[in-house]
PDB file of all heavy atoms in Angstrom:
ATOM      1  N   TYR A 127      89.907 128.716 100.101  1.00  0.00           N
ATOM      2  CA  TYR A 127      89.352 128.897 101.441  1.00  0.00           C
ATOM      3  C   TYR A 127      90.423 129.409 102.402  1.00  0.00           C
ATOM      4  O   TYR A 127      90.050 129.585 103.603  1.00  0.00           O
ATOM      5  CB  TYR A 127      88.789 127.553 102.017  1.00  0.00           C
ATOM      6  CG  TYR A 127      87.575 127.108 101.333  1.00  0.00           C
ATOM      7  CD1 TYR A 127      86.990 127.743 100.244  1.00  0.00           C
ATOM      8  CD2 TYR A 127      86.915 125.956 101.797  1.00  0.00           C
ATOM      9  CE1 TYR A 127      85.907 127.257  99.594  1.00  0.00           C
ATOM     10  CE2 TYR A 127      85.759 125.412 101.212  1.00  0.00           C
ATOM     11  CZ  TYR A 127      85.254 126.085 100.099  1.00  0.00           C
ATOM     12  OH  TYR A 127      84.149 125.638  99.486  1.00  0.00           O
ATOM     13  N   VAL A 128      91.618 129.681 102.000  1.00  0.00           N
ATOM     14  CA  VAL A 128      92.709 129.951 102.904  1.00  0.00           C
ATOM     15  C   VAL A 128      93.416 131.281 102.468  1.00  0.00           C
ATOM     16  O   VAL A 128      93.873 131.399 101.331  1.00  0.00           O
ATOM     17  CB  VAL A 128      93.781 128.812 103.001  1.00  0.00           C
ATOM     18  CG1 VAL A 128      94.858 129.172 104.055  1.00  0.00           C
ATOM     19  CG2 VAL A 128      93.097 127.525 103.338  1.00  0.00           C
ATOM     20  N   THR A 129      93.437 132.244 103.381  1.00  0.00           N
ATOM     21  CA  THR A 129      94.107 133.496 103.024  1.00  0.00           C
ATOM     22  C   THR A 129      95.655 133.325 103.096  1.00  0.00           C
ATOM     23  O   THR A 129      96.177 132.329 103.659  1.00  0.00           O
ATOM     24  CB  THR A 129      93.733 134.625 104.057  1.00  0.00           C
ATOM     25  OG1 THR A 129      94.041 134.112 105.414  1.00  0.00           O
ATOM     26  CG2 THR A 129      92.273 134.962 104.003  1.00  0.00           C
ATOM     27  N   PRO A 130      96.436 134.248 102.488  1.00  0.00           N
ATOM     28  CA  PRO A 130      97.927 134.158 102.568  1.00  0.00           C
ATOM     29  C   PRO A 130      98.396 134.106 104.017  1.00  0.00           C
ATOM     30  O   PRO A 130      97.728 134.545 104.950  1.00  0.00           O
ATOM     31  CB  PRO A 130      98.341 135.409 101.835  1.00  0.00           C
ATOM     32  CG  PRO A 130      97.234 135.736 100.915  1.00  0.00           C
ATOM     33  CD  PRO A 130      95.994 135.399 101.701  1.00  0.00           C
ATOM     34  N   VAL A 131      99.597 133.594 104.187  1.00  0.00           N
ATOM     35  CA  VAL A 131     100.250 133.484 105.476  1.00  0.00           C
ATOM     36  C   VAL A 131     100.424 134.914 106.111  1.00  0.00           C
ATOM     37  O   VAL A 131     100.839 135.828 105.421  1.00  0.00           O
ATOM     38  CB  VAL A 131     101.573 132.755 105.425  1.00  0.00           C
ATOM     39  CG1 VAL A 131     102.328 132.873 106.746  1.00  0.00           C
ATOM     40  CG2 VAL A 131     101.406 131.356 105.009  1.00  0.00           C
ATOM     41  N   LYS A 132     100.011 135.043 107.348  1.00  0.00           N
ATOM     42  CA  LYS A 132     100.081 136.354 108.016  1.00  0.00           C
ATOM     43  C   LYS A 132     101.254 136.476 108.940  1.00  0.00           C
ATOM     44  O   LYS A 132     102.060 135.577 109.065  1.00  0.00           O
ATOM     45  CB  LYS A 132      98.765 136.591 108.780  1.00  0.00           C
ATOM     46  CG  LYS A 132      97.529 136.568 107.865  1.00  0.00           C
ATOM     47  CD  LYS A 132      96.213 136.764 108.630  1.00  0.00           C
ATOM     48  CE  LYS A 132      95.057 136.725 107.731  1.00  0.00           C
ATOM     49  NZ  LYS A 132      93.743 137.000 108.410  1.00  0.00           N
ATOM     50  N   ASP A 133     101.313 137.597 109.713  1.00  0.00           N
ATOM     51  CA  ASP A 133     102.447 137.864 110.585  1.00  0.00           C
ATOM     52  C   ASP A 133     101.862 138.223 111.947  1.00  0.00           C
ATOM     53  O   ASP A 133     101.320 139.307 112.215  1.00  0.00           O
ATOM     54  CB  ASP A 133     103.292 139.006 110.051  1.00  0.00           C
ATOM     55  CG  ASP A 133     104.548 139.303 110.876  1.00  0.00           C
ATOM     56  OD1 ASP A 133     104.760 138.631 111.835  1.00  0.00           O
ATOM     57  OD2 ASP A 133     105.277 140.269 110.532  1.00  0.00           O
ATOM     58  N   GLN A 134     102.122 137.352 112.901  1.00  0.00           N
ATOM     59  CA  GLN A 134     101.688 137.569 114.249  1.00  0.00           C
ATOM     60  C   GLN A 134     102.479 138.640 115.025  1.00  0.00           C
ATOM     61  O   GLN A 134     101.932 139.252 115.959  1.00  0.00           O
ATOM     62  CB  GLN A 134     101.888 136.209 115.060  1.00  0.00           C
ATOM     63  CG  GLN A 134     101.455 136.212 116.479  1.00  0.00           C
ATOM     64  CD  GLN A 134     101.715 134.810 117.104  1.00  0.00           C
ATOM     65  OE1 GLN A 134     101.730 133.810 116.452  1.00  0.00           O
ATOM     66  NE2 GLN A 134     101.920 134.798 118.413  1.00  0.00           N
ATOM     67  N   LYS A 135     103.637 138.887 114.556  1.00  0.00           N
ATOM     68  CA  LYS A 135     104.577 139.878 115.185  1.00  0.00           C
ATOM     69  C   LYS A 135     104.901 139.488 116.546  1.00  0.00           C
ATOM     70  O   LYS A 135     104.739 138.304 116.967  1.00  0.00           O
ATOM     71  CB  LYS A 135     104.019 141.314 115.047  1.00  0.00           C
ATOM     72  CG  LYS A 135     103.784 141.820 113.652  1.00  0.00           C
ATOM     73  CD  LYS A 135     103.337 143.216 113.525  1.00  0.00           C
ATOM     74  CE  LYS A 135     103.094 143.639 112.076  1.00  0.00           C
ATOM     75  NZ  LYS A 135     102.652 144.993 111.952  1.00  0.00           N
ATOM     76  N   GLN A 136     105.360 140.359 117.383  1.00  0.00           N
ATOM     77  CA  GLN A 136     105.764 140.059 118.718  1.00  0.00           C
ATOM     78  C   GLN A 136     104.656 140.257 119.686  1.00  0.00           C
ATOM     79  O   GLN A 136     104.576 141.071 120.553  1.00  0.00           O
ATOM     80  CB  GLN A 136     106.934 140.943 119.188  1.00  0.00           C
ATOM     81  CG  GLN A 136     108.216 140.791 118.344  1.00  0.00           C
ATOM     82  CD  GLN A 136     109.351 141.680 118.721  1.00  0.00           C
ATOM     83  OE1 GLN A 136     109.279 142.458 119.676  1.00  0.00           O
ATOM     84  NE2 GLN A 136     110.475 141.585 118.025  1.00  0.00           N
ATOM     85  N   CYS A 137     103.558 139.427 119.421  1.00  0.00           N
ATOM     86  CA  CYS A 137     102.396 139.492 120.180  1.00  0.00           C
ATOM     87  C   CYS A 137     101.785 138.095 120.412  1.00  0.00           C
ATOM     88  O   CYS A 137     101.804 137.316 119.405  1.00  0.00           O
ATOM     89  CB  CYS A 137     101.332 140.364 119.393  1.00  0.00           C
ATOM     90  SG  CYS A 137      99.616 140.403 120.045  1.00  0.00           S
ATOM     91  N   GLY A 138     101.374 137.719 121.521  1.00  0.00           N
ATOM     92  CA  GLY A 138     100.864 136.421 121.837  1.00  0.00           C
ATOM     93  C   GLY A 138      99.396 136.177 121.414  1.00  0.00           C
ATOM     94  O   GLY A 138      98.609 135.850 122.188  1.00  0.00           O
ATOM     95  N   SER A 139      99.173 136.393 120.136  1.00  0.00           N
ATOM     96  CA  SER A 139      97.856 136.465 119.594  1.00  0.00           C
ATOM     97  C   SER A 139      97.537 135.257 118.678  1.00  0.00           C
ATOM     98  O   SER A 139      96.671 135.342 117.868  1.00  0.00           O
ATOM     99  CB  SER A 139      97.594 137.733 118.845  1.00  0.00           C
ATOM    100  OG  SER A 139      98.554 137.886 117.832  1.00  0.00           O
ATOM    101  N   CYS A 140      98.245 134.150 118.885  1.00  0.00           N
ATOM    102  CA  CYS A 140      98.004 132.979 118.053  1.00  0.00           C
ATOM    103  C   CYS A 140      96.617 132.570 117.966  1.00  0.00           C
ATOM    104  O   CYS A 140      96.078 132.174 116.960  1.00  0.00           O
ATOM    105  CB  CYS A 140      98.918 131.832 118.497  1.00  0.00           C
ATOM    106  SG  CYS A 140      98.667 131.302 120.215  1.00  0.00           S
ATOM    107  N   TRP A 141      95.906 132.591 119.089  1.00  0.00           N
ATOM    108  CA  TRP A 141      94.535 132.215 119.236  1.00  0.00           C
ATOM    109  C   TRP A 141      93.616 133.021 118.307  1.00  0.00           C
ATOM    110  O   TRP A 141      92.564 132.523 117.749  1.00  0.00           O
ATOM    111  CB  TRP A 141      94.025 132.383 120.659  1.00  0.00           C
ATOM    112  CG  TRP A 141      94.397 133.797 121.220  1.00  0.00           C
ATOM    113  CD1 TRP A 141      95.613 134.151 121.749  1.00  0.00           C
ATOM    114  CD2 TRP A 141      93.556 134.928 121.160  1.00  0.00           C
ATOM    115  NE1 TRP A 141      95.574 135.520 122.099  1.00  0.00           N
ATOM    116  CE2 TRP A 141      94.319 136.025 121.745  1.00  0.00           C
ATOM    117  CE3 TRP A 141      92.253 135.174 120.744  1.00  0.00           C
ATOM    118  CZ2 TRP A 141      93.772 137.294 121.898  1.00  0.00           C
ATOM    119  CZ3 TRP A 141      91.729 136.419 120.886  1.00  0.00           C
ATOM    120  CH2 TRP A 141      92.501 137.398 121.436  1.00  0.00           C
ATOM    121  N   ALA A 142      93.935 134.315 118.091  1.00  0.00           N
ATOM    122  CA  ALA A 142      93.134 135.141 117.183  1.00  0.00           C
ATOM    123  C   ALA A 142      93.253 134.730 115.760  1.00  0.00           C
ATOM    124  O   ALA A 142      92.241 134.759 115.012  1.00  0.00           O
ATOM    125  CB  ALA A 142      93.559 136.607 117.328  1.00  0.00           C
ATOM    126  N   PHE A 143      94.429 134.332 115.303  1.00  0.00           N
ATOM    127  CA  PHE A 143      94.626 133.887 113.944  1.00  0.00           C
ATOM    128  C   PHE A 143      93.947 132.547 113.672  1.00  0.00           C
ATOM    129  O   PHE A 143      93.404 132.308 112.559  1.00  0.00           O
ATOM    130  CB  PHE A 143      96.172 133.794 113.668  1.00  0.00           C
ATOM    131  CG  PHE A 143      96.809 135.112 113.506  1.00  0.00           C
ATOM    132  CD1 PHE A 143      97.261 135.767 114.658  1.00  0.00           C
ATOM    133  CD2 PHE A 143      96.931 135.744 112.325  1.00  0.00           C
ATOM    134  CE1 PHE A 143      97.889 137.012 114.610  1.00  0.00           C
ATOM    135  CE2 PHE A 143      97.583 136.964 112.191  1.00  0.00           C
ATOM    136  CZ  PHE A 143      98.025 137.637 113.333  1.00  0.00           C
ATOM    137  N   SER A 144      93.897 131.669 114.686  1.00  0.00           N
ATOM    138  CA  SER A 144      93.228 130.402 114.445  1.00  0.00           C
ATOM    139  C   SER A 144      91.748 130.650 114.362  1.00  0.00           C
ATOM    140  O   SER A 144      91.028 130.040 113.552  1.00  0.00           O
ATOM    141  CB  SER A 144      93.513 129.488 115.665  1.00  0.00           C
ATOM    142  OG  SER A 144      94.766 129.139 115.759  1.00  0.00           O
ATOM    143  N   THR A 145      91.214 131.624 115.103  1.00  0.00           N
ATOM    144  CA  THR A 145      89.760 131.949 115.079  1.00  0.00           C
ATOM    145  C   THR A 145      89.416 132.498 113.696  1.00  0.00           C
ATOM    146  O   THR A 145      88.449 132.054 113.091  1.00  0.00           O
ATOM    147  CB  THR A 145      89.404 132.965 116.179  1.00  0.00           C
ATOM    148  OG1 THR A 145      89.789 132.375 117.465  1.00  0.00           O
ATOM    149  CG2 THR A 145      87.924 133.317 116.128  1.00  0.00           C
ATOM    150  N   THR A 146      90.181 133.520 113.251  1.00  0.00           N
ATOM    151  CA  THR A 146      89.849 134.099 111.929  1.00  0.00           C
ATOM    152  C   THR A 146      90.063 133.105 110.827  1.00  0.00           C
ATOM    153  O   THR A 146      89.329 133.165 109.778  1.00  0.00           O
ATOM    154  CB  THR A 146      90.752 135.354 111.691  1.00  0.00           C
ATOM    155  OG1 THR A 146      92.089 134.980 111.704  1.00  0.00           O
ATOM    156  CG2 THR A 146      90.441 136.438 112.679  1.00  0.00           C
ATOM    157  N   GLY A 147      91.014 132.260 110.975  1.00  0.00           N
ATOM    158  CA  GLY A 147      91.313 131.193 109.902  1.00  0.00           C
ATOM    159  C   GLY A 147      90.152 130.338 109.584  1.00  0.00           C
ATOM    160  O   GLY A 147      89.786 130.095 108.457  1.00  0.00           O
ATOM    161  N   THR A 148      89.484 129.810 110.683  1.00  0.00           N
ATOM    162  CA  THR A 148      88.326 128.892 110.448  1.00  0.00           C
ATOM    163  C   THR A 148      87.174 129.732 109.955  1.00  0.00           C
ATOM    164  O   THR A 148      86.356 129.217 109.109  1.00  0.00           O
ATOM    165  CB  THR A 148      88.029 128.127 111.724  1.00  0.00           C
ATOM    166  OG1 THR A 148      86.898 127.263 111.406  1.00  0.00           O
ATOM    167  CG2 THR A 148      87.651 128.977 112.894  1.00  0.00           C
ATOM    168  N   LEU A 149      86.992 130.930 110.425  1.00  0.00           N
ATOM    169  CA  LEU A 149      85.907 131.820 109.951  1.00  0.00           C
ATOM    170  C   LEU A 149      86.146 132.177 108.431  1.00  0.00           C
ATOM    171  O   LEU A 149      85.149 132.217 107.713  1.00  0.00           O
ATOM    172  CB  LEU A 149      85.921 133.128 110.762  1.00  0.00           C
ATOM    173  CG  LEU A 149      84.959 133.046 111.973  1.00  0.00           C
ATOM    174  CD1 LEU A 149      85.236 134.285 112.906  1.00  0.00           C
ATOM    175  CD2 LEU A 149      83.532 133.048 111.599  1.00  0.00           C
ATOM    176  N   GLU A 150      87.350 132.527 108.067  1.00  0.00           N
ATOM    177  CA  GLU A 150      87.641 132.887 106.661  1.00  0.00           C
ATOM    178  C   GLU A 150      87.290 131.695 105.758  1.00  0.00           C
ATOM    179  O   GLU A 150      86.739 131.876 104.705  1.00  0.00           O
ATOM    180  CB  GLU A 150      89.115 133.218 106.492  1.00  0.00           C
ATOM    181  CG  GLU A 150      89.448 134.540 107.108  1.00  0.00           C
ATOM    182  CD  GLU A 150      90.949 134.742 107.343  1.00  0.00           C
ATOM    183  OE1 GLU A 150      91.742 133.791 107.140  1.00  0.00           O
ATOM    184  OE2 GLU A 150      91.344 135.886 107.609  1.00  0.00           O
ATOM    185  N   GLY A 151      87.575 130.477 106.232  1.00  0.00           N
ATOM    186  CA  GLY A 151      87.216 129.296 105.408  1.00  0.00           C
ATOM    187  C   GLY A 151      85.711 129.127 105.273  1.00  0.00           C
ATOM    188  O   GLY A 151      85.203 128.838 104.172  1.00  0.00           O
ATOM    189  N   GLN A 152      84.956 129.251 106.363  1.00  0.00           N
ATOM    190  CA  GLN A 152      83.525 129.100 106.266  1.00  0.00           C
ATOM    191  C   GLN A 152      82.909 130.227 105.445  1.00  0.00           C
ATOM    192  O   GLN A 152      81.890 129.949 104.687  1.00  0.00           O
ATOM    193  CB  GLN A 152      82.922 129.107 107.724  1.00  0.00           C
ATOM    194  CG  GLN A 152      83.266 127.833 108.496  1.00  0.00           C
ATOM    195  CD  GLN A 152      82.930 126.550 107.775  1.00  0.00           C
ATOM    196  OE1 GLN A 152      81.772 126.283 107.515  1.00  0.00           O
ATOM    197  NE2 GLN A 152      83.941 125.792 107.410  1.00  0.00           N
TER     198      GLN A 152
END
Side-chain angles (χ1 to χ4, degrees):
Y127 291 2
V128 183
T129 56
V131 172
K132 300 181 180 181
D133 184 2
Q134 180 181 333
K135 300 185 179 180
Q136 296 180 2
C137 172
S139 55
C140 57
W141 51 276
F143 288 86
S144 298
T145 302
T146 59
T148 182
L149 270 168
E150 288 164 350
Q152 291 306 297

